[in-house]
Amino acid sequence: MRGMRWLSVAVLGGGLVVGGAGAAGAAGAPYCGITWGSLAKSGGSLSPGPLLAARTGRHACYDRVVFDFAGPATGYRVRYATAVPQEGSGAALPVAGGAQIWVELLEPSYDQTGRSTTPYRAGQHVGAVAGYRTLRDVVYGSSFEGYTAFGVGVRARLPYRVFTLPGPGGRSRIVLDVAHHW
């Protein structure tokens, strides 16, 4: 069968995956090696390190939202939702996109005296995401009783991962990556 190219087709979870002889990796391999899934993710516990800022970034296989803290931060609950509520009031945030990710950080966005540690107001769009492949919006949802909410708008319900990073110095970060494809 010299010179013949093989085409492999697999049905995975109701979807069709097609791979050719020139495709990178094994037939049916996840896009960019991503195996994250889209179910709810949580970790850590309440911590006092206040939020300083949220920022976004673009990568080859995913778009990223980084939450920067003034101390150690490990607590988060992240999930897809039909509406993302504002902390304290419960009012739905105006989040653009085909799907919404509710990010609940288990850290405040205020210091021990109650003064805000971020420049954001509830409902404010905080991420400049024009030209991103997956991210459509990042909206601050306020902070109440040590919990801080964000609504992250994405173009569709896609796989994502969440993890924490120490540093620099005594600071820390909680990172949300949302894949471009399944």
Side-chain angles (χ1 to χ4, degrees), residues 17-91:
V17 177
V18 178
Y31 175 79
C32 292
I34 292 173
T35 59
W36 306 333
S38 64
L39 297 178
K41 295 159 181 50
S42 63
S45 59
L46 281 170
S47 59
L51 177 71
L52 297 175
R55 54 193 165 90
T56 61
R58 294 186 287 185
H59 296 267
C61 296
Y62 53 86
D63 289 343
R64 172 172 281 180
V65 182
V66 178
F67 303 97
D68 293 303
F69 296 89
T74 61
Y76 59 84
R77 290 190 292 237
V78 180
R79 59 205 167 275
Y80 277 98
T82 55
V84 177
Q86 179 179 321
E87 285 295 329
S89 74

Side-chain angles (χ1 to χ4, degrees), residues 51 53-59 62-69 78 101 103 105 120 126-129 132 134-140 150-154 160-165 173-179:
L51 177 71
R55 54 193 165 90
T56 61
R58 294 186 287 185
H59 296 267
Y62 53 86
D63 289 343
R64 172 172 281 180
V65 182
V66 178
F67 303 97
D68 293 303
F69 296 89
V78 180
I101 300 175
V103 177
L105 304 170
Y120 313 133
V126 301
V129 295
Y132 280 57
T134 297
L135 291 180
R136 296 295 182 258
D137 207 355
V138 179
V139 181
Y140 175 66
F150 279 86
V152 176
V154 294
Y160 69 94
R161 68 179 174 181
V162 184
F163 58 96
T164 60
L165 291 171
R173 295 159 284 164
I174 294 177
V175 178
L176 166 66
D177 290 336
V178 184

Side-chain angles (χ1 to χ4, degrees), residues 116-128:
S116 178
T117 56
T118 68
Y120 313 133
R121 295 179 323 278
Q124 182 178 356
H125 302 267
V126 301

